[in-house]
Amino acid sequence: MTMFRIGEAADLLGVSADTMRRWVDAGRLAAGRDEHGHRVIDGADLAGFARAQAADPAAGAERSSARNRLRGIVVDVRKDAVMAQVDIQAGPFRIVSLMSREAVDELDLRVGSVAVAVIKSTTVVVERAAPAAPARGRSGG
């Protein structure tokens, strides 16, 4: 059974550890204690919670078969005569999109704009993440 500490769960959901603690304290998400007394969340419970959070699409979202929608802020726009590159920071994720300059101009995409990266792909590579390294305490010298 995979168990996640509060900070690890927060990282996976893209929220702060304080937000995760508030959700646990409010009873929105169950947590137990490990052998050291730290709060831990069962991986299956965390997955169910994440799925429930994502089940409600953003207000105003168009009806679409694409399920991967990442809302973020435009951090860079590079345009030439025909094409453009738009970089979006969505939480901890950087999404880079190549599109026509015309599309960028029509959408009025510029640094600081809020945008949603909608990802629809027939090929998605899934990798198993390495376990998180244990936190190391500081030692004085």
Side-chain angles (χ1 to χ4, degrees):
M1 175 181 344
T2 303
M3 301 297 283
F4 296 99
R5 290 180 62 176
I6 293 289
E8 294 170 319
D11 286 344
L12 290 169
L13 296 187
V15 298
S16 71
D18 285 339
T19 295
M20 188 64 62
R21 283 187 200 93
R22 282 192 295 275
W23 287 341
V24 168
D25 292 343
R28 294 181 62 192
L29 185 59
R33 299 270 179 187
D34 67 10
E35 64 275 5
H36 303 290
H38 299 283
R39 288 197 271 191
V40 292
I41 300 167
D42 177 74
D45 290 343
L46 183 61
F49 181 79
R51 191 172 29 256
Q53 294 293 105
D56 188 22
E62 298 293 325
R63 294 180 59 102
S64 172
S65 65
R67 298 292 180 252
N68 304 304
R69 307 176 73 83
L70 302 169
R71 185 172 189 265
I73 187 166
V74 176
V75 294
D76 193 23
V77 177
R78 293 185 212 138
K79 300 189 280 188
D80 66 19
V82 177
M83 295 299 294
Q85 175 180 317
V86 177
D87 292 18
I88 299 171
Q89 193 69 38
F93 305 105
R94 176 177 172 241
I95 295 101
V96 178
S97 179
L98 303 176
M99 64 185 79
S100 69
R101 179 191 178 112
E102 179 182 10
V104 170
D105 291 342
E106 284 178 7
L107 292 170
D108 194 26
L109 294 175
R110 57 180 85 186
V111 172
S113 300
V114 174
V116 178
V118 180
I119 303 161
K120 177 80 174 186
S121 178
T122 57
T123 303
V124 176
V125 176
V126 177
E127 297 176 342
R128 179 92 188 247
R136 295 180 185 217
R138 290 187 174 178
S139 59

